[in-house]
Structures are given as C-alpha cells and as structure tokens.
Amino acid sequence: MKSVGRIVGRINGKTQLIGLLATPIGHSLSPSMHNMAFKKLGLNYAYLAFEVGNDSLEDAIKGLRALNVKGFNVSMPNKTKILPFLDELADSAKFSGAVNTVVNDNGVLVGHSTDGMGYIRNLKEHGVDITGKKMTLIGSGGAATPIAIQAALEGLEELTIFARHDEFYSKAVENVKIINEEMKHVSCKAKLYSLEDTDRLREEIKTSDILTNGTGVGMKPLEEFSIIEDISMLRPDLIVTDVVYMPMRSKLLEQAESIGCHTINGIGMMIWQGAMAFELWTGKEMPVEYIKEQMFEPSLQY
C-alpha cells in the first residue's frame, strides 16, 4: 500500500493550514487527497477536517479568520449557509449562490464554487458529453445548484429539477429563473417540480439522457436510502450520476447497475473540484494523475 507519509514529520513554524468544514466529515477523502498533493509537490501546507454544521459555522469562520488560515473547503450542509460570513464572492459563487472553496486573500475571505466545473470534468473523463442532452437533477442545495448552472453553461439542452419543499426549495426556483431568464447566452431550458410528484419524476426520467443525484441521500448516515424508490423508473440506456463518493457505490448506483445503466460516482467530481481549489490556494496545479493512482488503489482504505 502506498502511503501519504507522516504529516507530523514535515510540519513546522511556517506550515500553512487549510481545512474542511462539513458534517458528517469522517468519510471525507479530501484530507488524504490534498495532503498527498502537498507532499508530492513539497509544499508546506497541512489540510485538516473539522466537524462543523450550520449551528457552529459562523463561529468556525471567525476562528479560521483569526488564525489567518490560507483557505478552506466547505461541504454539506454549509455550502449556501456560509455566504453571509464571507467578504467577497467570485463570479462562480455569486452566480450559483453556493461556495465550496474559500481563499484568504490577505485577510479578505473570498468564496468560490468549483463543484459545477468538477462535475462536468468528471462526466467528460467518463466519455459523457452533455451538449444537446436532457438531464433530470435531484436537489436544490449547495451541490445541485452549481451543477445546474454549469450544465446550462456547458450546452445542456433541457434541465428538469426535482426538489423537496424544504428550506432550499426557493434556491431551486431561483436557479430555474436564472437559467431561463438571466442566462441569455445559453439555450438550456429549465423547469422545476416537487420531488414528491413521483408520476412526473417517472415521466421526466423516461425522456432524459442523464439522471443526477445532487443531494446527500446515499451518503452516511443515509447510505441505505436512494432518491429512487421504484427501480422501474430506470432503463439501461440512462446515464446515472451521483455526487456521493462514500460509499463508492451508493444505493442509487447499485440500483442503476442492476438495470445496466452507465453509472458515474462522485469521486471524479471530488478530485477535479479539489484540483481547482488546490490551485486557488497554492498557485500550483494538483498532480491529478498521481492522486488518481493513490485513491483508486484497491488497498487504500477509504
């Protein structure tokens, strides 16, 4: 088994801290990925994971600001809740209304979104071109939002969003409005339905090329659940993608594989969004091929 090495041996008084704020956090591959990359390139950084949810998010941001960290990631459920606690938003975050990467620019905390670009790059790595395609997207939170916006920018022809009537539903309404009314340079047409409308969900999946889970359903502690209750909604020529990467095969992907669908998990999205964040923090390109070798090695425990 290849090892990332001992972090302790290279930490000193000049080591710069980068972190991740999310809950649940124990499954995350981001610390391994970034620390591998730091070591490979000889960069004096350390990446740590912190169990932080919405209730303690503001205090955590204040603490990281006071510590003058170089930057940090945010994941579910914090991607939209973090917006009021930042000083500036890059266009990627402003457009999507979600942040997954924060850069400390000389005391100014700037929010970025690399999730959507990471998702699209992952599809391309698996031979999927969304140009002219139709996608059914489940979710309206911090992962689904940048996917919706970036997919429209990348040439998706039709997008149907299904979302629960929860605190994030209004964001789904806003996403549809942005794509249909404000993004004049794209041809994508978007519409929104309630996830509880299973008949409509069936009909939209039937005419879609791609089904995407943009929620945390399928990830711990919801690993026993799927966004699809009736497996007959799936068909062999459907491409089924998931933002979940732990477990590597979510319940949704297991269902899709049993039907014969082309399935894509969230590991590639995680790597590519991380590579973009890595460059924002360090000014260096992440050694992606090296990271892939390490993270896909069967003996590596993830």
Side-chain angles (χ1 to χ4, degrees):
M1 168 178 159
K2 298 175 182 178
S3 172
V4 299
R6 289 177 175 267
I7 296 176
V8 173
R10 61 182 177 82
I11 287 180
N12 57 39
K14 295 183 179 180
T15 301
Q16 298 189 71
L17 175 64
I18 296 176
L20 168 64
L21 308 181
T23 185
I25 197 92
H27 69 283
S28 178
L29 297 180
S30 292
S32 294
M33 178 177 72
H34 286 286
N35 286 314
M36 283 179 192
F38 295 150
K39 184 183 180 187
K40 179 68 174 177
L41 298 183
L43 300 177
N44 197 1
Y45 293 85
Y47 188 110
L48 298 176
F50 301 97
E51 191 88 29
V52 175
N54 292 167
D55 292 343
S56 55
L57 182 60
E58 182 176 9
D59 288 339
I61 301 301
K62 289 178 180 177
L64 292 175
R65 186 192 293 273
L67 292 172
N68 196 32
V69 301
K70 184 67 176 178
F72 51 94
N73 283 135
V74 291
S75 190
M76 291 184 270
N78 301 319
K79 292 182 179 183
T80 58
K81 295 295 185 179
I82 194 175
L83 299 178
F85 310 134
L86 302 178
D87 301 311
E88 295 180 8
L89 296 178
D91 287 344
S92 60
K94 193 180 302 181
F95 215 11
S96 65
V99 166
N100 76 317
T101 301
V102 177
V103 176
N104 186 346
D105 184 7
N106 296 314
V108 178
L109 298 186
V110 183
H112 299 257
S113 176
T114 65
D115 277 333
M117 293 179 284
Y119 174 81
I120 297 298
R121 180 62 182 266
N122 188 31
L123 292 188
K124 291 179 179 177
E125 290 281 305
H126 287 82
V128 177
D129 181 1
I130 67 170
T131 304
K133 301 290 198 306
K134 175 179 177 178
M135 177 191 293
T136 291
L137 171 65
I138 311 296
S140 55
T145 290
I147 288 174
I149 298 299
Q150 194 65 34
L153 291 171
E154 296 282 345
L156 191 71
E157 182 175 302
E158 188 175 350
L159 174 66
T160 304
I161 300 173
F162 283 84
R164 297 192 185 281
H165 283 273
D166 57 18
E167 60 182 314
F168 298 109
Y169 190 82
S170 61
K171 185 57 185 172
V173 173
E174 182 182 349
N175 292 340
V176 169
K177 181 178 180 181
I178 289 173
I179 293 170
N180 289 340
E181 301 179 17
E182 298 181 26
M183 297 171 65
K184 303 295 186 182
H185 56 297
V186 304
S187 59
C188 183
K189 299 302 178 185
K191 50 191 176 182
L192 171 65
Y193 297 103
S194 168
L195 185 56
E196 289 77 12
D197 188 348
T198 54
D199 290 337
R200 174 55 62 180
L201 178 61
R202 180 184 296 275
E203 290 303 309
E204 292 300 322
I205 291 176
K206 184 184 298 183
T207 57
S208 292
D209 302 288
I210 304 167
L211 170 64
T212 298
N213 175 33
T215 78
V217 176
M219 180 179 72
K220 292 182 178 181
L222 303 173
E223 65 268 34
E224 299 300 319
F225 297 93
S226 168
I227 56 170
I228 299 299
E229 295 183 0
D230 185 352
I231 197 171
S232 69
M233 290 185 179
L234 308 178
R235 63 181 197 280
D237 63 334
L238 183 68
I239 298 167
V240 180
T241 75
D242 205 327
V243 299
V244 172
Y245 63 84
M246 188 63 184
M248 297 288 281
R249 291 171 70 248
S250 64
K251 179 70 176 297
L252 171 66
L253 296 192
E254 288 181 350
Q255 292 172 316
E257 288 173 6
S258 73
I259 297 295
C261 302
H262 179 185
T263 62
I264 304 173
N265 69 18
I267 187 68
M269 175 181 172
M270 190 276 295
I271 290 174
W272 283 109
Q273 64 80 23
M276 296 168 191
F278 184 92
E279 188 166 354
L280 287 170
W281 295 321
T282 68
K284 308 289 185 181
E285 291 187 6
M286 176 182 279
V288 171
E289 292 307 314
Y290 170 76
I291 295 299
K292 285 182 180 179
E293 291 176 8
Q294 301 299 309
M295 303 193 82
F296 281 101
E297 184 184 7
S299 62
L300 185 63
Q301 296 301 307
Y302 50 75

